[in-house]
Amino acid sequence: MKSKYNFSKTLYQLRTDNNLTQSALALRTNIKQQNISRWEAGSNLPNIDECVILADFFGITIDELIGRII
């Protein structure tokens, strides 16, 4: 089942809005650049721990990270 939320688009937008390359985000979050690339391509999704790291890094909620704005 395809998710109605668009994590890949949200992550890309957050990263580019903060003028970060995938490599720079990887270095600052200790997440592999290959994972970030796969997530942005929509071919894979992060686990909950990685979601927490990304949400904390960008100063947003996990709901916002997955594109679910309440």
Side-chain angles (χ1 to χ4, degrees), residues 7 29 31 35 39 44-57 60-66 68:
F7 171 79
T29 59
I31 294 173
N35 289 344
W39 300 337
N44 205 348
L45 290 171
N47 65 38
I48 192 67
D49 293 328
E50 293 161 329
C51 285
V52 169
I53 291 167
L54 290 168
D56 286 350
F57 177 79
I60 61 174
T61 66
I62 292 176
D63 278 334
E64 291 169 310
L65 179 65
I66 65 169
R68 180 177 182 235

Side-chain angles (χ1 to χ4, degrees), residues 20-58:
L20 295 168
T21 63
Q22 289 179 352
S23 296
L25 179 58
L27 285 171
R28 295 184 66 186
T29 59
N30 202 30
I31 294 173
K32 292 182 181 180
Q33 184 272 327
Q34 294 89 341
N35 289 344
I36 295 168
S37 176
R38 289 182 191 116
W39 300 337
E40 287 186 3
S43 62
N44 205 348
L45 290 171
N47 65 38
I48 192 67
D49 293 328
E50 293 161 329
C51 285
V52 169
I53 291 167
L54 290 168
D56 286 350
F57 177 79
F58 289 113

